[in-house]
Amino acid sequence: DTGVSQDPRHKITKRGQNVTFRCDPISEHNRLYWYRQTLGQGPEFLTYFQNEAQLEKSRLLSDRFSAERPKGSFSTLEIQRTEQGDSAMYLCASSQGTSGTNIQYFGAGTRLSVL
Amino acid sequence: AQTVTQSQPEMSVQEAETVTLSCTYDTSESDYYLFWYKQPPSRQMILVIRQEAYKQQNATENRFSVNFQKAAKSFSLKISDSQLGDAAMYFCAHQGGSEKLVFGKGTKLTVNP
């Protein structure tokens, strides 16, 4: 068990470009979450999956954002036509999803800088 | 909607001393969880302690304990015998019927040798 893994750790892109981040959850965790954290703020929820089903999306997740978890294992978060306001740390978390033990374990995050 | 407020942007403590970080929250739900997470610089968020709202007994984890006041919607974290490695951002979070965690803005804890 290597924990939640995110790739890349850092991404620098130019405004208008598309970027994709990957998250590998802890094995046997069926729930996967994406959060966004800007400087000086706590993480804000974006979306979550139970297995391959996307069950909840925040209003923060504009049409330019899309997340997938095709086989119920790893997940990708894509941002199209990036804007400077998208610069943030994107955090992934996973949980076992068992009632009463739904503790979310976080990855180290992907820091996105949009120039 | 749930909200979480951490009124102390920064706190400092001397090594081996005790410090308390404050957190208040607002929720309309009767069944929920509260968490404290620690985020060291450039490192991932780590769970410090969890409290189930239906339990009256305050949670403890070694040097970390909480003071959970459900009626006052208060959830403070006490760190005893502070160590240099405790220096980090600390986030209070609420989880209700929805799976999402709602976080406060965080408190930066400095531990002075």
Side-chain angles (χ1 to χ4, degrees), chain A residues 15-81:
Chain A
R15 189 176 52 186
Q17 298 293 305
N18 299 344
V19 294
T20 300
F21 310 141
R22 177 179 170 125
C23 172
D24 287 89
I26 294 171
S27 57
E28 88 262 2
H29 278 192
N30 61 17
R31 291 180 180 171
L32 187 147
Y33 312 79
W34 286 98
Y35 293 84
R36 181 171 67 188
Q37 185 178 21
T38 54
L39 203 61
Q41 302 293 319
E44 294 175 294
F45 171 79
L46 293 178
T47 188
Y48 99 92
F49 293 83
Q50 179 159 313
N51 299 312
E52 58 276 353
Q54 188 173 18
L55 297 187
E56 187 174 350
K57 290 170 61 173
S58 164
R59 283 171 290 180
L60 290 175
L61 213 63
S62 76
D63 291 344
R64 297 184 297 105
F65 287 70
S66 62
E68 293 183 342
R69 194 182 183 198
K71 297 182 180 179
S73 56
F74 73 91
S75 175
T76 58
L77 177 67
E78 181 183 17
I79 308 174
Q80 296 183 325
R81 305 181 303 282

Side-chain angles (χ1 to χ4, degrees), chain A residues 83-111:
Chain A
E83 301 172 358
Q84 287 187 325
D86 297 331
S87 296
M89 177 76 85
Y90 290 83
L91 299 172
C92 178
S94 70
S95 72
Q96 214 166 20
T98 305
S99 176
T101 61
N102 193 20
I103 294 172
Q104 295 182 28
Y105 297 88
F106 283 81
T110 294
R111 182 170 296 282

